[in-house]
Amino acid sequence: MQPWALVTPASRGIGMELARRLLLTTNVPVVATARGDPDQTKENLLSGLRDVKENRLHVLKLDVLDEQTIHDAAVTVFALFPKKEYYLHLSLCVPGLLFPEKSPSQIDYEHALLTFRTNTLGPMMLLKHFSPYLPRKSTALPIPDSTELQGLPQNHGTWATMSARVGSITDNRLGGWYSYRASKAAVNQVTKTFDNHLRTSAGENALAVSLHPGTVKTGLSEEFWGNVKGEKLFSAEFAAEKLMKVLCGRTVADRGKCWDWKGEEVPP
């Protein structure tokens, strides 16, 4: 069985850098998604990657707010990578949206609904349609340290969803950001629930985790750059490098939890 990897969305920010890193440091085919122009996204992803073969990258149109596009992309992937020959080894689900309500009076219903649709329901729909491609108990994974698994988690497939430290109920000391905090806490619950499913369907062949990338210099956090110390404001490239290192260091004992960019557990 041959592995492949998924990054969704990958048109900008952390998603783009995660996809580029997979192309640079692994040998697997990479499926990336974009809500906008797939051809432009593919050009951007390959820019400057001279030694990467273009046929390793497949960019599909997908909008996490539109389940039909998720279904259609999954059908396309099945045609590209038939289940008898391929399996999904690494899925990186990174949709994100933030409206920073500082007080209850600033909560806007439509903004809160869009936050949950993007941050929580989006990843849920992605796992609905793409998780069947993850390994099962009967899947024969490549041997650890083989060429196929270069730069990837070695002993298991991984479903990783972007969360945030502010999604931790235990760590919530400041309040605010109601819809974003709640949506990311929900992501962690989805991760744990899905991992329980994988324990049954895949055993130790697949696990699910959530990730906290730190404060990254992307459009999501642009409003708050001035409040963050320079050494704690990361580039998307740095965040992608750290998160891949964290994922490659996880074992089955780490499953179902949220991990930050340093490899430390974020409490629920």
Side-chain angles (χ1 to χ4, degrees), residues 32-252:
T33 76
R35 184 174 61 178
D37 184 352
D39 292 334
Q40 183 61 58
T41 297
K42 185 171 185 176
E43 181 180 333
N44 294 342
L45 287 169
L46 291 172
S47 178
L49 307 186
R50 297 180 180 178
D51 296 329
V52 174
K53 295 181 180 178
E54 184 176 342
N55 62 5
R56 277 185 55 209
L57 175 63
H58 306 268
V59 182
L60 306 179
K61 194 173 183 64
L62 185 154
D63 182 351
V64 296
L65 301 178
D66 183 347
E67 186 180 1
Q68 186 61 51
T69 68
I70 300 173
H71 170 270
D72 293 345
V75 170
T76 300
V77 166
F78 180 77
L80 288 170
F81 305 114
K83 289 184 181 179
K84 291 184 179 180
E85 303 173 40
Y86 295 89
Y87 74 96
L88 175 57
H89 190 82
L90 177 62
S91 174
L92 299 165
C93 299
V94 298
L97 184 67
L98 168 61
F99 295 103
E101 314 100 338
K102 297 179 181 179
S103 69
S105 64
Q106 294 180 328
I107 300 172
D108 178 88
Y109 182 89
E110 294 300 330
H111 286 174
L113 181 60
L114 183 58
T115 298
F116 273 90
R117 290 185 64 205
T118 304
N119 296 353
T120 309
L121 292 177
M124 285 177 65
M125 293 301 102
L126 289 168
L127 70 85
K128 173 184 176 180
H129 291 282
F130 283 97
S131 67
Y133 299 95
L134 287 168
R136 302 183 66 83
K137 287 180 179 178
S138 59
T139 303
L141 302 184
I143 299 171
D145 297 321
S146 63
T147 301
E148 294 93 332
L149 295 184
Q150 174 184 315
L152 295 167
Q154 294 293 299
N155 297 299
H156 51 259
T158 302
W159 186 279
T161 306
M162 198 65 69
S163 185
R165 185 174 298 279
V166 296
S168 168
I169 296 173
T170 304
D171 194 58
N172 185 356
R173 298 178 179 85
L174 297 176
W177 295 21
Y178 290 84
S179 55
Y180 187 73
R181 283 183 184 275
S183 70
K184 291 302 187 178
V187 163
N188 295 339
Q189 181 68 280
V190 170
T191 293
K192 178 61 177 178
T193 301
F194 180 50
D195 187 71
N196 286 339
H197 168 78
L198 290 178
R199 288 173 183 266
T200 300
S201 65
E204 296 189 355
N205 273 352
L207 55 81
V209 294
S210 298
L211 298 172
H212 167 55
T215 303
V216 182
K217 202 171 184 179
T218 65
L220 179 76
S221 63
E222 185 172 3
E223 183 179 341
F224 317 105
W225 293 351
N227 300 325
V228 180
K229 294 180 180 179
E231 68 273 14
K232 292 188 176 181
L233 182 60
F234 306 142
S235 69
E237 185 177 7
F238 175 86
E241 176 186 354
K242 291 297 183 180
L243 292 177
M244 282 304 305
K245 183 177 180 180
V246 168
L247 289 172
C248 288
R250 295 311 94 199
T251 71
V252 291

